Every structure is written in C-alpha cells, then in structure tokens.
Amino acid sequence: MVKRILALLLIGALITILLINVLEDKKERERQQALQHTYEVQPAENDKAQVAPSDGLLEEGEQAPDFDTVTVEGENVSLSDYQGKKVILNFWTTWCPPCIEEMPHMQKYYEEDAENQNVEILAVNLTTRDNGIRRVESFKKDYGLTFPVLLDESGRLGETFYAFTIPTTYLLDEEGKVTKKLMGPMDQEMMKDLMK
C-alpha cells in the first residue's frame, strides 16, 4: 500500500514538473516574440560574431541601401562616398557590453589591416537608443577611435538595416553589396579573415 502511494506521489510530481516546464517554455516564446521589434544585446558569452540567419532582409548579394547622415564631429557622409572600398558597417551603442568589447579590436584592425585590405569601418551609433551625443563623443575619445563614427539620430538607419540585435555588422564589397550580416562582437583576426 505504501509503495502504491509513493508511486502515485512520484507520478504526480513528474506531471507537475512537466506542466511547469511547458508553461515556462510558452512564456519564453511569448517574451521572445514581444522582443522582436526591440533592440537586444547579443549575449556576451558569444566570443565571436555569428552569421545572421536569412530572414529575407538585406540578403547576401543585395545592394545595401544608400544613406546620408553625420559623423559625431558633424560632417555629412553617405554610404555611397565609400564606393570602391570594402566596408564594415557596424551598428552599436555605448552601453552594450559586446559593443564595448569589440571596439578595441575594430580600432586595432583599422590601424593595422584596413588600409592593406582596402576597407573602411563605419560605426553607426544607434543614437536614439543611446545616452546622447556627448556620451558618444566621450566614448570615441576614451577608446581612441579613429574610424568614422556615424550618428543615427532618427532611428531610421537601425530600422533600414534591421539592427535589432547589437552589435550587428554588415560586410559590404567594393560595389556596396552585402557579403555577410553578422550578429555579435568580432575580433581583429575575424575581421581580417572576413575581409580577405
């Protein structure tokens, strides 16, 4: 009799655990769907950027949309200004840990490898999601960034390039066509390999 009661209690506990897992899984799926249209930070435990899955948006081989914006210093720039160069088009914020981790690697790549590989880095700050232009200026100075830091003050560039996970990076060829879309931080060696 005691064995039967223990067996029923064990079965009841297993069913309860199963139901809890199913409900938690459902809540997580709903949370992920709710976040689809907000910015997410790529988890810091990812040491390297991952190739973004094809979602029908700005696919490889497609021409990247041209845009006009300003640098943090107030200079007007367009993506088309860089025709004839390969471009690392990086979307980031000053508060994003993987973005912060990536910036020294980008600077080192820019200093040591970019010119030899005919590459320009354009770091587009998602300004509407950041802590103001002064913070971006301070960040650029603190990290000694010498590549162009562009401002997305309207939020349109982030939307146009589907930069909902940060950092998001597009690699463009000399004609401005997308060769890869990456999510997560890159290091110097990865940039060097990808831009060969």
Side-chain angles (χ1 to χ4, degrees):
M1 181 74 163
V2 173
K3 287 183 181 181
R4 178 173 251 190
I5 292 172
L6 287 175
L8 289 174
L9 287 174
L10 181 61
I11 290 171
L14 291 173
I15 290 172
T16 303
I17 291 169
L18 178 66
L19 288 174
I20 289 171
N21 284 336
V22 167
L23 290 174
E24 285 179 1
D25 196 40
K26 181 181 178 192
K27 284 181 187 176
E28 179 62 20
R29 279 195 310 272
E30 289 171 356
R31 188 181 74 77
Q32 291 294 331
Q33 288 173 347
L35 288 173
Q36 274 184 335
H37 299 291
T38 61
Y39 286 78
E40 293 181 63
V41 175
Q42 187 69 20
E45 61 265 16
N46 288 349
D47 291 333
K48 304 265 184 169
Q50 304 295 317
V51 175
S54 177
D55 49 15
L57 311 171
L58 296 178
E59 294 185 11
E60 290 181 17
E62 186 176 342
Q63 187 71 34
D66 195 13
F67 59 80
D68 297 304
T69 191
V70 294
T71 66
V72 74
E73 293 84 16
E75 298 171 33
N76 293 317
V77 294
S78 299
L79 180 59
S80 57
D81 295 341
Y82 300 95
Q83 284 275 324
K85 283 188 163 250
K86 294 181 263 185
V87 174
I88 296 175
L89 183 62
N90 178 263
F91 293 86
W92 67 286
T93 62
T94 62
W95 52 261
C96 156
C99 302
I100 295 166
E101 173 190 327
E102 178 178 58
M103 284 298 168
H105 292 283
M106 289 177 71
Q107 181 58 38
K108 195 165 182 190
Y109 171 81
Y110 193 69
E111 292 170 0
E112 296 177 5
D113 305 306
E115 187 175 344
N116 292 337
Q117 291 188 309
N118 191 35
V119 174
E120 184 62 70
I121 295 176
L122 301 177
V124 181
N125 176 263
L126 298 166
T127 316
T128 57
R129 295 287 183 168
D130 214 328
N131 299 315
I133 295 172
R134 285 201 175 122
R135 177 66 190 117
V136 180
E137 291 170 342
S138 174
F139 186 97
K140 182 177 183 195
K141 183 180 177 186
D142 292 347
Y143 283 85
L145 304 180
T146 58
F147 49 81
V149 174
L150 313 181
L151 301 176
D152 180 16
E153 296 179 276
S154 68
R156 281 189 236 132
L157 290 179
E159 289 176 12
T160 299
F161 284 87
Y162 305 95
F164 300 117
T165 299
I166 51 177
T168 289
T169 304
Y170 286 88
L171 306 181
L172 309 178
D173 67 14
E174 293 90 340
E175 296 174 5
K177 292 182 180 175
V178 176
T179 59
K180 286 214 181 325
K181 178 183 178 184
L182 306 165
M183 295 187 299
M186 297 183 293
D187 62 25
Q188 181 183 3
E189 284 305 310
M190 185 176 185
M191 287 180 239
K192 193 173 176 179
D193 290 344
L194 288 168
M195 300 311 289
K196 281 182 182 173

